[in-house]
Each structure stands twice: as structure tokens, then as C-alpha cells.
Amino acid sequence: MKDLHDEIHANVQRALQEDIGSGDLTATLIPEETALAATVVSRENAVLCGMQWFEACFRLLNPATVVKWFAKDGDAVRAGQALCRIQGNARTMLTAERSALNFLQLLSAVATQTRRYADAIAGTRAVIVDTRKTLPGLRVAQKYSVTCGGGVNHRIGLYDGILIKENHIIAAGGIQPALKKAMAIAPPGVFVQIEVESLQELQEALTAGARMVLLDNFALDQLADAVALTRGQAGEAVILEASGNITLDNVRQVAETGVDRISIGSLTKNIQAIDLSMRFAEPG
């Protein structure tokens, strides 16, 4: 994964720049030297994630801001629980508030949804894997959140893994030539994965030497057949990943077919922000 510190700095700089622009007009209502404290509270059960992004929003505007956390990334928090206390200059705290909460709400939502899926398949051999269906500019942040929720990152982008999908297969002239070319060009340590849509295509991929296969939109009985076919020919040497139309309602059944990985695009794509509240203490 890219350097997390640099990514956080870039994310936060962009967020503050788009929000503040030429200046926070409303914050000028507050006397310049006013110091205050505030508390962030979760209004629902969640998995906390995004502490570093949250803090960076305040500290980029005022390095003297102090944030004391009562939980850490990856912790389950409950409705009504205080997450942190912030102390510092009132103007800069008010200016940073919305961007800071946006990061914390979004990233906690990704971690929370991932934890639901990870808990649903606990005790099976499968792991929950993310995809590239992320919000533009926030891929590393969201993939970090997946790990906080108990999931596993797939490739970060197009540069660190080869996933041969249907259109690649068509353009390359078929499964065998696509795999052959991919294996020839893959740098050391870069995986090669191929997507198949039927047991016949799976057999073709195995014959061509596939060692990582994405089973796209397979029914449960087809997944079980795919596992039996693969284990019968290649043992544990081939990694099987299920993908497509998988929800919390059926993910356990998918895991029990014996697949190794289950990729869920909705972890980072269909996200409802966690409800958080930041309230200032009365001065005095």
C-alpha cells in the first residue's frame, strides 16, 4: 500500500482546500483567541476508523490542537459512546469540524460494514476481500478501513496485480492466450488472476495453468462444484474467489462452499456514513 502518512496528508489537504477556499467566513464570528473543547460522540453502534485523518484536519490548521481518544481504529463502539475530546483554538476547530467528521463517518462506515461480513463468515476458510469500486481519491483510505474491519485488501490499483476480466479475455483472443501473456509479463510478486463465468471456463483456466481464479456470479451449487473440481485437480494450489450478487443474507452460504476469498464491492461503494456528533463545551 502507498505510504499512509503521505496519503492522509494529501487527502486532508484536498478536503480542507475545497471546504475553506478563500476563508471560513462564519468562523470569524468567534474572537480570534478563543479556546474551547469539544467531544465527538457516536450515535450508533459502529467500528471506529479514520483517527489519523480526523486529527490531521485539525492539526494542519493548528498544530497545537490536542485530541484525546477513548477508542482506537478497529474498536467496536456503541451508540452514545464518547470517541474523543478535542481542545484548541475555537476558530480552527470550527473550520476543521466538517472535514474531520466526514472522514471519520465515512471510514468508520466502511470498517463497520466489513466487520459485519467478516463476522458472518467466521469459522470458515474464507476471507472478505475488497475491490477497486472505491470513491475517487480515497482508495487507500477506504482500503485501510477494510483492514480495520477485518477484511483483506485485493490489489490497490491496476499496477500491483493482474486481473484478467471478460473484456480482457475477448480482446486477447481467449483464456489461454490471455493467461499465457499475463504470466509472461507479471513482475515478481505480482499475482495473476482470471475471471471465469462457468465451470467450462474454469476447467480451461486450470488447464492453462491458472493459480488464482475469480468465480463470477456462480450459483451456490456451481461454487461447490468449482471447489470440488479445483481441489481434485490442483489441491490447495489454486485460490478461488467468489464474486457477484453476494449480500449479508447469503455470504455465509457462499463461504461454506469452500471458496478461499469472497470479494464485496459494496464494502466501499454503497456506504451509509456512521452518525457522529461533535459538541462544544460551554466556555467558562
Side-chain angles (χ1 to χ4, degrees), residues 52-208:
Q52 296 175 82
W53 284 263
F54 181 89
E55 288 190 27
C57 288
F58 293 99
R59 291 192 172 133
L60 273 178
L61 297 181
N62 184 352
T65 305
V66 175
V67 182
K68 180 180 180 182
W69 290 93
F70 309 122
K72 63 182 183 300
D73 281 354
D75 282 354
V77 297
R78 63 186 184 279
Q81 180 174 338
L83 304 180
C84 67
R85 179 177 172 84
I86 311 118
Q87 292 178 287
N89 178 271
R91 277 194 185 184
T92 56
M93 286 171 62
L94 287 164
T95 299
E97 175 186 1
R98 175 41 51 202
S99 294
L101 286 175
N102 284 347
F103 281 115
L104 202 62
Q105 291 175 311
L106 169 68
L107 302 187
S108 294
V110 174
T112 301
Q113 185 72 332
T114 305
R115 181 69 54 82
R116 293 185 185 119
Y117 275 94
D119 287 348
I121 66 166
T124 69
R125 68 181 290 152
V127 295
I128 298 298
V129 180
D130 56 23
T131 71
R132 286 168 49 241
K133 297 175 182 177
T134 53
L135 299 179
L138 290 175
R139 177 166 297 170
V140 170
Q142 287 192 283
K143 283 182 172 282
Y144 168 80
S145 304
V146 166
T147 65
C148 287
V152 174
N153 294 149
H154 200 279
R155 57 181 178 166
I156 301 301
L158 297 172
Y159 58 89
D160 65 336
I162 296 175
L163 173 50
I164 309 165
K165 298 178 72 68
E166 179 185 12
N167 286 336
H168 298 103
I169 293 170
I170 293 171
I175 288 174
Q176 185 173 0
L179 267 174
K180 183 178 180 181
K181 178 67 172 178
M183 292 174 179
I185 66 170
V190 169
F191 67 79
V192 175
Q193 183 178 29
I194 189 161
E195 176 185 274
V196 300
E197 297 180 341
S198 67
L199 290 173
Q200 180 179 346
E201 289 186 353
L202 172 60
Q203 181 61 73
E204 189 176 348
L206 293 175
T207 302

